Amino acid sequence: MKFGTKAIHAGQEPDPSTGAVMTPIYQTSTFWQASPGKHQGYAYARGKNPTRTALEKCLASLENANHALCFSSGMGAIDAVVKLLQPGDEVITGNDLYGGTYRMFTKVFALFGIQFHFIDLSDANNIKSYINDKTKLIWIETPTNPTMQIVDIAACAAIAKANNLLLGVDNTFASPYLQNPLDLGADIVMHSVTKYLGGHSDLVMGALCVNDQSLYERLAFIHNSCGATPGPQDSFLALRGLKTLHLRMKAHCENGIAVANYLKNHPKIEKVYWPGFTDHPNHEIAKKQMRGFGGMISIVLKDATLEDTFKFASSFKVFTLAESLGGVESLINHPATMTHASIPKADREQAGVVDSLLRLSVGVEDIEDLLQDLEQVLDQA
Ligand code: P1T
């Protein structure tokens, strides 16, 4: 089956007890057992819930994965991956990451004795000199949040395989519509379902997708043992969001192209980060591993102070100033003080996250209104 058909149907059959076409919200914490241990596949809803099972099957199908697990947030999903490790283990990751991921690595897991190397992954070969016998995991985002660096997934996978390491890919910015990391050799795909998958900024959720059976069993054990599992209402909303993922992503990509091109040569803009430009340093890799360039664009304002940048970010009429991304509505975010505020200034600036950088999540509104909104703010700037 093709992507759109899977997004609408995978994992979903008419409900066996009533024939309901849409998977019901099984609002129950527990399930009847005929005798101890004798039940219909569901015992207690932290471990498994039928609404969540339908969602996990649908997501697995979109990532060409054998298995998916849904979590109560994207951070809950990444937390489960790091819990595969032990004190003394080392992780190699990028120097441009969602601020919450950086915070969890440096402020939570570093205290448990796990060491993280934050390196420039624009050339995957940079990984090699950081590998030693304690290295267990390579963790990448691509495109990165917020500077839209592209990391070569297949090249990282080859290095991971050669050194017996796990490769995890945070696929939040691309979504499975644009990129399938498992097909390129990754071991784990992670999503903040909160973003494009949910698509309507009305839920918080995460997911992991894997092929390997024993890796799935280890993650499922952590999932159930540590308990960051989502409820059935949110699972229903995510399942409903997935049904239009292909339609929304097409519109995000079209609007993304138009906004990126509008901003590119604007005299008040210093730099536009978007992997669709032929002069993006890893445009060829983006073309090789992605089926489109999405709706995420970051810009650096020319000669703007922090105050100018705040004024700019607060002057939109259609774009909303808010954290998050990937919903149908356009958002603007100031990473330095919002999503990436937990990264020390010197570190974030080294990755390009300067005070005059703003991140746009281009939604699916009419493009004329989005361009007009940008124009009126740029005229005032
Ligand atoms: O917010 P949550 O569902 O827990 O997902 C965390 C997360 C993980 N990975 C990436 C690439 C992300 O962008 C996020 C969340 N990001 C934002 C809230 C943001 O505005 O960037």
Side-chain angles (χ1 to χ4, degrees), residues 72-76 78 97-101 139 141 143-145 170-173 190-195 203-206 296 322-325 333 339-340 359:
S72 52
S73 67
M75 294 318 301
I78 301 174
L97 287 177
Y98 168 54
T101 306
W139 184 261
E141 272 179 22
T144 64
N145 181 358
D170 183 334
N171 203 24
T172 299
F173 268 38
M190 176 267 159
H191 282 284
S192 170
V193 177
T194 318
K195 314 293 166 23
L203 62 94
V204 173
M205 193 186 288
M296 296 304 298
E323 304 206 7
S324 205
L325 58 112
N333 164 58
T339 49
H340 294 67
R359 190 191 70 189

